Every structure is written in structure tokens, then in C-alpha cells.
Short mmCIF file of all heavy atoms in Angstrom, two decimals:
data_model
loop_
_atom_site.label_atom_id
_atom_site.label_comp_id
_atom_site.label_asym_id
_atom_site.label_seq_id
_atom_site.Cartn_x
_atom_site.Cartn_y
_atom_site.Cartn_z
N PHE A 78 0.83 -1.22 0.00
CA PHE A 78 0.00 0.00 0.00
C PHE A 78 0.86 1.26 0.00
O PHE A 78 0.66 2.17 -0.82
CB PHE A 78 -0.92 -0.02 1.22
CG PHE A 78 -1.58 1.31 1.51
CD1 PHE A 78 -2.33 1.96 0.55
CD2 PHE A 78 -1.45 1.90 2.77
CE1 PHE A 78 -2.94 3.19 0.82
CE2 PHE A 78 -2.06 3.11 3.04
CZ PHE A 78 -2.79 3.75 2.06
N LEU A 79 1.81 1.32 0.92
CA LEU A 79 2.67 2.51 1.00
C LEU A 79 3.50 2.68 -0.25
O LEU A 79 3.72 3.80 -0.73
CB LEU A 79 3.57 2.41 2.24
CG LEU A 79 2.86 2.47 3.60
CD1 LEU A 79 3.85 2.29 4.72
CD2 LEU A 79 2.14 3.80 3.75
N GLY A 80 3.99 1.56 -0.79
CA GLY A 80 4.79 1.63 -2.00
C GLY A 80 4.01 2.21 -3.17
O GLY A 80 4.51 3.06 -3.92
N LEU A 81 2.77 1.76 -3.32
CA LEU A 81 1.94 2.25 -4.42
C LEU A 81 1.52 3.71 -4.21
O LEU A 81 1.67 4.55 -5.11
CB LEU A 81 0.68 1.39 -4.54
CG LEU A 81 0.87 -0.01 -5.15
CD1 LEU A 81 -0.42 -0.81 -5.04
CD2 LEU A 81 1.29 0.10 -6.61
N PHE A 82 1.03 4.01 -3.01
CA PHE A 82 0.50 5.35 -2.75
C PHE A 82 1.60 6.41 -2.72
O PHE A 82 1.56 7.40 -3.47
CB PHE A 82 -0.27 5.35 -1.42
CG PHE A 82 -0.81 6.70 -1.03
CD1 PHE A 82 -1.64 7.40 -1.87
CD2 PHE A 82 -0.48 7.26 0.20
CE1 PHE A 82 -2.14 8.64 -1.51
CE2 PHE A 82 -0.97 8.49 0.57
CZ PHE A 82 -1.82 9.19 -0.29
N LEU A 83 2.59 6.18 -1.86
CA LEU A 83 3.67 7.16 -1.74
C LEU A 83 4.56 7.15 -2.98
O LEU A 83 4.99 8.20 -3.47
CB LEU A 83 4.50 6.88 -0.48
CG LEU A 83 3.74 6.96 0.85
CD1 LEU A 83 4.70 6.71 2.01
CD2 LEU A 83 3.07 8.31 1.01
N GLY A 84 4.87 5.94 -3.48
CA GLY A 84 5.75 5.84 -4.64
C GLY A 84 5.19 6.54 -5.85
O GLY A 84 5.90 7.30 -6.54
N THR A 85 3.91 6.33 -6.14
CA THR A 85 3.29 6.98 -7.28
C THR A 85 3.30 8.50 -7.12
O THR A 85 3.63 9.24 -8.07
CB THR A 85 1.82 6.50 -7.45
OG1 THR A 85 1.82 5.09 -7.65
CG2 THR A 85 1.17 7.19 -8.64
N GLY A 86 2.95 8.97 -5.93
CA GLY A 86 2.95 10.41 -5.69
C GLY A 86 4.32 11.04 -5.84
O GLY A 86 4.48 12.11 -6.44
N ILE A 87 5.35 10.37 -5.33
CA ILE A 87 6.71 10.90 -5.41
C ILE A 87 7.19 10.94 -6.85
O ILE A 87 7.76 11.95 -7.32
CB ILE A 87 7.67 10.05 -4.55
CG1 ILE A 87 7.35 10.25 -3.06
CG2 ILE A 87 9.13 10.44 -4.82
CD1 ILE A 87 8.08 9.30 -2.14
N VAL A 88 6.96 9.84 -7.58
CA VAL A 88 7.40 9.79 -8.98
C VAL A 88 6.71 10.87 -9.82
O VAL A 88 7.35 11.58 -10.60
CB VAL A 88 7.12 8.39 -9.58
CG1 VAL A 88 7.33 8.40 -11.09
CG2 VAL A 88 8.03 7.35 -8.94
N LEU A 89 5.41 11.01 -9.65
CA LEU A 89 4.68 12.01 -10.42
C LEU A 89 5.07 13.43 -10.03
O LEU A 89 5.08 14.34 -10.86
CB LEU A 89 3.17 11.82 -10.24
CG LEU A 89 2.60 10.52 -10.84
CD1 LEU A 89 1.10 10.42 -10.56
CD2 LEU A 89 2.87 10.44 -12.33
N THR A 90 5.39 13.63 -8.74
CA THR A 90 5.87 14.94 -8.30
C THR A 90 7.18 15.30 -8.99
O THR A 90 7.37 16.43 -9.46
CB THR A 90 6.07 14.96 -6.77
OG1 THR A 90 4.82 14.72 -6.12
CG2 THR A 90 6.62 16.31 -6.31
N LEU A 91 8.08 14.34 -9.06
CA LEU A 91 9.37 14.56 -9.74
C LEU A 91 9.18 14.84 -11.22
O LEU A 91 10.00 15.52 -11.85
CB LEU A 91 10.28 13.35 -9.53
CG LEU A 91 10.74 13.08 -8.09
CD1 LEU A 91 11.55 11.80 -8.01
CD2 LEU A 91 11.56 14.25 -7.56
N GLN A 92 8.09 14.32 -11.79
CA GLN A 92 7.80 14.54 -13.20
C GLN A 92 7.07 15.86 -13.44
O GLN A 92 6.78 16.21 -14.58
CB GLN A 92 6.97 13.38 -13.75
CG GLN A 92 7.72 12.06 -13.80
CD GLN A 92 6.84 10.91 -14.28
OE1 GLN A 92 5.62 11.05 -14.41
NE2 GLN A 92 7.47 9.76 -14.54
N GLY A 93 6.77 16.56 -12.36
CA GLY A 93 6.11 17.85 -12.47
C GLY A 93 4.61 17.80 -12.64
O GLY A 93 3.98 18.78 -13.04
N VAL A 94 4.00 16.66 -12.31
CA VAL A 94 2.55 16.52 -12.43
C VAL A 94 1.87 17.27 -11.28
O VAL A 94 2.26 17.12 -10.12
CB VAL A 94 2.13 15.03 -12.41
CG1 VAL A 94 0.62 14.90 -12.45
CG2 VAL A 94 2.78 14.29 -13.58
N GLU A 95 0.86 18.08 -11.61
CA GLU A 95 0.13 18.80 -10.58
C GLU A 95 -0.76 17.84 -9.78
O GLU A 95 -1.30 16.88 -10.34
CB GLU A 95 -0.72 19.90 -11.20
CG GLU A 95 0.10 21.04 -11.82
CD GLU A 95 -0.79 22.16 -12.30
OE1 GLU A 95 -2.03 22.01 -12.22
OE2 GLU A 95 -0.25 23.19 -12.76
N PHE A 96 -0.88 18.14 -8.50
CA PHE A 96 -1.69 17.30 -7.60
C PHE A 96 -1.30 15.83 -7.74
O PHE A 96 -2.15 14.95 -7.91
CB PHE A 96 -3.18 17.48 -7.88
CG PHE A 96 -3.66 18.90 -7.77
CD1 PHE A 96 -3.94 19.64 -8.91
CD2 PHE A 96 -3.81 19.49 -6.53
CE1 PHE A 96 -4.37 20.95 -8.80
CE2 PHE A 96 -4.24 20.81 -6.42
CZ PHE A 96 -4.52 21.55 -7.56
N ALA A 97 0.01 15.60 -7.65
CA ALA A 97 0.56 14.27 -7.92
C ALA A 97 -0.04 13.20 -7.01
O ALA A 97 -0.32 12.07 -7.46
CB ALA A 97 2.08 14.29 -7.77
N PHE A 98 -0.25 13.52 -5.76
CA PHE A 98 -0.74 12.52 -4.82
C PHE A 98 -2.25 12.26 -4.96
O PHE A 98 -2.79 11.41 -4.27
CB PHE A 98 -0.41 12.92 -3.38
CG PHE A 98 1.04 12.70 -3.03
CD1 PHE A 98 1.96 13.72 -3.19
CD2 PHE A 98 1.47 11.48 -2.56
CE1 PHE A 98 3.30 13.52 -2.88
CE2 PHE A 98 2.81 11.27 -2.24
CZ PHE A 98 3.72 12.29 -2.40
N TYR A 99 -2.90 13.01 -5.85
CA TYR A 99 -4.31 12.76 -6.11
C TYR A 99 -4.52 11.88 -7.33
O TYR A 99 -5.64 11.46 -7.61
CB TYR A 99 -5.05 14.09 -6.32
CG TYR A 99 -5.36 14.81 -5.04
CD1 TYR A 99 -4.53 15.84 -4.58
CD2 TYR A 99 -6.46 14.49 -4.27
CE1 TYR A 99 -4.80 16.51 -3.40
CE2 TYR A 99 -6.75 15.15 -3.09
CZ TYR A 99 -5.92 16.17 -2.66
OH TYR A 99 -6.18 16.83 -1.48
N GLN A 100 -3.45 11.61 -8.08
CA GLN A 100 -3.58 10.82 -9.31
C GLN A 100 -3.93 9.36 -9.01
O GLN A 100 -4.63 8.72 -9.78
CB GLN A 100 -2.30 10.91 -10.13
CG GLN A 100 -1.89 12.33 -10.50
CD GLN A 100 -3.00 13.09 -11.19
OE1 GLN A 100 -3.60 12.62 -12.14
NE2 GLN A 100 -3.29 14.30 -10.69
N LEU A 101 -3.41 8.84 -7.91
CA LEU A 101 -3.77 7.50 -7.45
C LEU A 101 -4.33 7.64 -6.05
O LEU A 101 -3.58 7.67 -5.07
CB LEU A 101 -2.56 6.56 -7.45
CG LEU A 101 -2.84 5.13 -6.94
CD1 LEU A 101 -3.84 4.42 -7.84
CD2 LEU A 101 -1.54 4.33 -6.85
N PRO A 102 -5.65 7.73 -5.92
CA PRO A 102 -6.25 7.90 -4.58
C PRO A 102 -5.85 6.76 -3.65
O PRO A 102 -5.72 5.61 -4.07
CB PRO A 102 -7.76 7.87 -4.87
CG PRO A 102 -7.88 8.25 -6.31
CD PRO A 102 -6.67 7.69 -6.97
N ALA A 103 -5.66 7.10 -2.38
CA ALA A 103 -5.27 6.08 -1.39
C ALA A 103 -6.32 4.98 -1.29
O ALA A 103 -5.99 3.82 -1.04
CB ALA A 103 -5.05 6.74 -0.03
N SER A 104 -7.59 5.34 -1.50
CA SER A 104 -8.66 4.35 -1.40
C SER A 104 -8.58 3.31 -2.52
O SER A 104 -9.15 2.22 -2.41
CB SER A 104 -10.03 5.05 -1.44
OG SER A 104 -10.17 5.84 -2.61
N ILE A 105 -7.88 3.64 -3.60
CA ILE A 105 -7.65 2.69 -4.70
C ILE A 105 -6.33 1.95 -4.48
O ILE A 105 -6.23 0.74 -4.70
CB ILE A 105 -7.64 3.40 -6.06
CG1 ILE A 105 -8.96 4.13 -6.29
CG2 ILE A 105 -7.36 2.42 -7.18
CD1 ILE A 105 -10.18 3.23 -6.30
N ALA A 106 -5.31 2.68 -4.01
CA ALA A 106 -3.99 2.07 -3.81
C ALA A 106 -4.03 0.95 -2.77
O ALA A 106 -3.19 0.05 -2.81
CB ALA A 106 -2.99 3.16 -3.39
N ILE A 107 -4.97 1.01 -1.86
CA ILE A 107 -5.01 0.00 -0.79
C ILE A 107 -5.66 -1.31 -1.26
O ILE A 107 -5.48 -2.35 -0.62
CB ILE A 107 -5.75 0.55 0.45
CG1 ILE A 107 -5.40 -0.27 1.69
CG2 ILE A 107 -7.25 0.58 0.21
CD1 ILE A 107 -5.95 0.31 2.98
N ILE A 108 -6.37 -1.28 -2.38
CA ILE A 108 -7.05 -2.49 -2.85
C ILE A 108 -6.07 -3.62 -3.16
O ILE A 108 -6.28 -4.77 -2.73
CB ILE A 108 -7.96 -2.17 -4.05
CG1 ILE A 108 -9.12 -1.27 -3.61
CG2 ILE A 108 -8.51 -3.46 -4.68
CD1 ILE A 108 -10.02 -0.81 -4.73
N PRO A 109 -4.96 -3.38 -3.91
CA PRO A 109 -3.99 -4.46 -4.13
C PRO A 109 -3.42 -5.00 -2.82
O PRO A 109 -3.14 -6.20 -2.71
CB PRO A 109 -2.90 -3.79 -4.98
CG PRO A 109 -3.59 -2.67 -5.66
CD PRO A 109 -4.59 -2.16 -4.67
N ALA A 110 -3.25 -4.12 -1.83
CA ALA A 110 -2.73 -4.56 -0.53
C ALA A 110 -3.69 -5.52 0.14
O ALA A 110 -3.28 -6.52 0.76
CB ALA A 110 -2.47 -3.35 0.37
N ILE A 111 -4.98 -5.24 0.03
CA ILE A 111 -5.99 -6.14 0.61
C ILE A 111 -5.95 -7.50 -0.08
O ILE A 111 -6.02 -8.55 0.57
CB ILE A 111 -7.39 -5.51 0.49
CG1 ILE A 111 -7.48 -4.24 1.34
CG2 ILE A 111 -8.47 -6.51 0.92
CD1 ILE A 111 -8.73 -3.43 1.12
N LEU A 112 -5.80 -7.50 -1.40
CA LEU A 112 -5.73 -8.74 -2.15
C LEU A 112 -4.49 -9.55 -1.76
O LEU A 112 -4.55 -10.78 -1.64
CB LEU A 112 -5.71 -8.45 -3.66
CG LEU A 112 -6.99 -7.78 -4.21
CD1 LEU A 112 -6.82 -7.48 -5.70
CD2 LEU A 112 -8.20 -8.66 -3.96
N VAL A 113 -3.36 -8.85 -1.53
CA VAL A 113 -2.14 -9.53 -1.09
C VAL A 113 -2.35 -10.16 0.28
O VAL A 113 -1.93 -11.29 0.55
CB VAL A 113 -0.94 -8.55 -1.05
CG1 VAL A 113 0.27 -9.19 -0.38
CG2 VAL A 113 -0.57 -8.11 -2.47
N ALA A 114 -3.02 -9.43 1.17
CA ALA A 114 -3.30 -9.96 2.52
C ALA A 114 -4.16 -11.22 2.45
O ALA A 114 -3.91 -12.19 3.17
CB ALA A 114 -3.98 -8.89 3.37
N ILE A 115 -5.15 -11.20 1.60
CA ILE A 115 -6.01 -12.37 1.45
C ILE A 115 -5.22 -13.54 0.86
O ILE A 115 -5.39 -14.70 1.28
CB ILE A 115 -7.23 -12.03 0.57
CG1 ILE A 115 -8.14 -11.04 1.31
CG2 ILE A 115 -8.01 -13.29 0.20
CD1 ILE A 115 -9.31 -10.54 0.49
N TYR A 116 -4.35 -13.26 -0.08
CA TYR A 116 -3.51 -14.30 -0.69
C TYR A 116 -2.59 -14.94 0.36
O TYR A 116 -2.38 -16.17 0.36
CB TYR A 116 -2.68 -13.71 -1.82
CG TYR A 116 -1.66 -14.66 -2.40
CD1 TYR A 116 -2.05 -15.67 -3.28
CD2 TYR A 116 -0.31 -14.56 -2.06
CE1 TYR A 116 -1.12 -16.56 -3.81
CE2 TYR A 116 0.62 -15.44 -2.57
CZ TYR A 116 0.21 -16.43 -3.45
OH TYR A 116 1.14 -17.31 -3.95
N LEU A 117 -2.06 -14.12 1.27
CA LEU A 117 -1.13 -14.62 2.29
C LEU A 117 -1.86 -15.40 3.39
O LEU A 117 -1.25 -16.20 4.09
CB LEU A 117 -0.35 -13.46 2.92
CG LEU A 117 0.64 -12.73 2.01
CD1 LEU A 117 1.24 -11.53 2.74
CD2 LEU A 117 1.75 -13.67 1.56
N GLY A 118 -3.14 -15.14 3.55
CA GLY A 118 -3.89 -15.78 4.62
C GLY A 118 -4.11 -17.27 4.38
O GLY A 118 -4.18 -17.73 3.23
N LYS A 119 -4.24 -18.01 5.46
CA LYS A 119 -4.44 -19.46 5.39
C LYS A 119 -5.90 -19.86 5.55
O LYS A 119 -6.27 -21.00 5.26
CB LYS A 119 -3.60 -20.15 6.48
CG LYS A 119 -2.10 -19.86 6.38
CD LYS A 119 -1.53 -20.29 5.03
CE LYS A 119 -0.03 -20.02 4.97
NZ LYS A 119 0.52 -20.36 3.63
N ASP A 120 -6.73 -18.96 6.01
CA ASP A 120 -8.14 -19.27 6.18
C ASP A 120 -8.85 -19.26 4.83
O ASP A 120 -8.31 -18.78 3.82
CB ASP A 120 -8.81 -18.25 7.12
CG ASP A 120 -8.29 -18.35 8.53
OD1 ASP A 120 -7.82 -19.44 8.91
OD2 ASP A 120 -8.32 -17.33 9.25
N SER A 121 -10.06 -19.76 4.81
CA SER A 121 -10.85 -19.76 3.57
C SER A 121 -11.19 -18.33 3.18
O SER A 121 -11.14 -17.40 4.00
CB SER A 121 -12.13 -20.56 3.77
OG SER A 121 -13.00 -19.89 4.68
N ILE A 122 -11.54 -18.14 1.92
CA ILE A 122 -11.89 -16.81 1.43
C ILE A 122 -13.07 -16.25 2.23
O ILE A 122 -13.07 -15.08 2.62
CB ILE A 122 -12.24 -16.86 -0.07
CG1 ILE A 122 -11.02 -17.28 -0.90
CG2 ILE A 122 -12.76 -15.49 -0.53
CD1 ILE A 122 -9.89 -16.29 -0.84
N ASN A 123 -14.06 -17.09 2.48
CA ASN A 123 -15.23 -16.63 3.24
C ASN A 123 -14.85 -16.15 4.63
O ASN A 123 -15.35 -15.13 5.12
CB ASN A 123 -16.27 -17.75 3.33
CG ASN A 123 -16.96 -18.02 2.01
OD1 ASN A 123 -16.98 -17.15 1.13
ND2 ASN A 123 -17.55 -19.20 1.87
#
């Protein structure tokens, strides 16, 4: 999550993109992290 959210914002800031940290909303960046957590879990999906 932090890699996607902060990394994207930092890279876009260096590229001169305005409102760089708004290009990938945190509410979207956290979705892959949730999927990774579910993948790592040993319990059933339900």
C-alpha cells in the first residue's frame, strides 16, 4: 500500500505533475494490498 500510494505520488511529483498525490487515490492504492493480505492468509476466502 505505502509503495503504491507514496511511490506513485513521489514519482509524479518529480515529473512535475500537478496534484501528484491525487492521481492514485489512497482508497484505490489499498485495494492491491488487501488482495495480497487475502492471498497470504491461510483461512478460507469466506
Side-chain angles (χ1 to χ4, degrees):
F78 166 55
L79 293 177
L81 286 173
F82 178 56
L83 299 182
T85 300
I87 291 171
V88 170
L89 293 179
T90 298
L91 294 176
Q92 293 177 350
V94 177
E95 292 186 355
F96 303 105
F98 284 92
Y99 282 97
Q100 303 306 309
L101 178 63
S104 57
I105 301 300
I107 199 173
I108 293 176
I111 295 171
L112 296 177
V113 171
I115 292 175
Y116 173 77
L117 293 175
K119 301 302 181 183
D120 293 334
S121 68
I122 296 296
N123 288 339

